[in-house]
Amino acid sequence: MSKFEEGERVLCFHGPLLYEARCHKVNTEGEVDLYLIHYNGWSQKWDEWIPETRILKFNDVNLKKQSELIKHHKKTQNRGKNKKLKFIENVESEDAFTAKVCVQIELPSQLKLAVLDDWDLITQQKHLLKLPAALPVSVVLDEFRVYSLSVNKTSDTNRDHVLEGLLGYFSRLLGMQLLYKFERPQYADTMEEHRGVSVCDIYGTEHLLRLFTRIGELLAFTELDNNAIAVLQKYIHQLLSFIELHRGKYLSSENYFVATPDYLRRAAL
């Protein structure tokens, strides 16, 4: 049973502060419950799916914590410090937010450019990616596993667990957080055409890189300890280096095509 209900008034962490919000939808299909949150007074573009670790019950105790965080934030700003915040003691989720600051997934420079080019092609130039991808995420991760095995000459349980976890994250988040609005009609069509097929076997490296721009925040809200997070970071950075080394194979402008006039009309609805 989910901890929060649809329509429930809640307090949510967004950055270092707590904001009043309302839970619009609940998704309990995966291992971790996710909640579609709308922040009161904010545009709908800020609505997002978040785990329950970022949500608190709307009550007097948590409203006091909200006030404490605001006071501490203002105090830090008044000192002229632009450094990452250190939270006051005895505030719930302090550990989670300290971890959030520390979990860093740095994309190599060429992959950062690829993410920017991808954003431009989809959102500005109205292109779409060809689906199913010639080299979907499942293939990319398997080729990295084989490459890693050939380099290290030994099996690695930690690496295999990380790759399995990445497949799970990608499957869980693709439809909720890794698509631009312009891609959603294509996503609906593709899922209808390929019922029962995992998105890991349909979408490719471009969408995988979008996951890595957000996964640092997601990792911060897991129950993993610092050692486990360090292992994740290690293999994710190895994977990113592998993709950059072979970016000519996995990333290409030929993977895109110009959306048809009919699609443009559908996407504008």
Side-chain angles (χ1 to χ4, degrees):
M1 182 177 179
S2 57
K3 186 175 180 180
F4 302 95
E5 300 178 351
E6 292 184 6
E8 183 174 352
R9 190 180 184 186
V10 293
L11 292 170
C12 296
F13 282 104
H14 192 285
L17 301 177
L18 279 166
Y19 295 87
E20 293 187 23
R22 193 168 295 277
C23 176
H24 277 191
K25 293 182 180 179
V26 181
N27 187 322
T28 60
E29 295 178 0
E31 295 181 0
V32 178
D33 291 348
L34 291 176
Y35 302 85
L36 180 61
I37 294 298
H38 174 73
Y39 296 95
N40 294 353
W42 293 31
S43 167
Q44 285 187 345
K45 72 178 183 179
W46 293 102
D47 290 5
E48 59 177 342
W49 289 92
I50 63 174
E52 68 180 37
T53 47
R54 280 179 57 187
I55 310 174
L56 299 179
K57 290 288 185 179
F58 191 92
N59 55 38
D60 291 342
V61 173
N62 292 328
L63 284 170
K64 182 179 178 181
K65 293 176 181 179
Q66 179 191 41
S67 178
E68 289 173 341
L69 283 173
I70 293 172
K71 289 178 181 178
H72 183 70
H73 182 61
K74 289 180 178 179
K75 183 177 179 181
T76 304
Q77 286 187 322
N78 290 337
R79 289 174 181 170
K81 293 182 178 180
N82 293 320
K83 298 179 180 179
K84 297 180 178 76
L85 295 178
K86 294 182 179 179
F87 297 98
I88 55 179
E89 296 180 356
N90 300 321
V91 177
E92 189 168 308
S93 294
E94 175 183 357
D95 290 342
F97 268 85
T98 301
K100 180 179 180 181
V101 170
C102 295
V103 177
Q104 298 292 331
I105 302 299
E106 184 71 19
L107 269 64
S109 58
Q110 292 300 317
L111 298 188
K112 288 181 181 178
L113 292 175
V115 170
L116 291 174
D117 288 342
D118 175 56
W119 173 85
D120 180 69
L121 283 165
I122 299 292
T123 66
Q124 305 302 304
Q125 300 186 44
K126 305 305 180 186
H127 285 51
L128 292 168
L129 280 154
K130 298 174 183 176
L131 297 176
L135 294 169
V137 167
S138 58
V139 172
V140 175
L141 297 189
D142 191 55
E143 290 187 352
F144 167 69
R145 182 187 61 78
V146 172
Y147 169 82
S148 179
L149 183 60
S150 68
V151 170
N152 298 315
K153 307 299 182 183
T154 58
S155 60
D156 189 330
T157 303
N158 285 335
R159 178 201 59 223
D160 294 343
H161 285 166
V162 169
L163 296 180
E164 182 181 351
L166 288 176
L167 288 173
Y169 268 117
F170 190 81
S171 296
R172 188 88 168 96
L173 297 176
L174 187 279
M176 290 188 241
Q177 298 192 31
L178 305 182
L179 296 173
Y180 296 118
K181 182 180 178 181
F182 185 67
E183 296 175 294
R184 291 203 168 275
Q186 182 194 37
Y187 171 75
D189 293 344
T190 302
M191 292 299 98
E192 177 66 23
E193 183 179 353
H194 299 277
R195 288 188 178 185
V197 180
S198 169
V199 294
C200 296
D201 296 320
I202 297 174
Y203 285 80
T205 306
E206 294 83 3
H207 289 84
L208 181 61
L209 292 183
R210 296 184 202 175
L211 172 64
F212 290 133
T213 65
R214 306 199 64 175
I215 200 168
E217 176 182 346
L218 296 171
L219 292 178
F221 294 105
T222 66
E223 296 181 355
L224 299 173
D225 59 26
N226 290 336
N227 289 334
I229 288 198
V231 171
L232 281 167
Q233 287 176 302
K234 171 187 173 182
Y235 289 108
I236 289 173
H237 284 129
Q238 287 184 7
L239 173 59
L240 289 170
S241 296
F242 169 77
I243 293 173
E244 183 180 42
L245 180 64
H246 301 281
R247 62 184 180 277
K249 176 180 180 180
Y250 297 122
L251 298 165
S252 171
S253 60
E254 295 182 359
N255 294 340
Y256 297 83
F257 66 95
V258 179
T260 65
D262 177 64
Y263 186 89
L264 291 173
R265 285 192 292 271
R266 292 173 59 204
L269 296 178

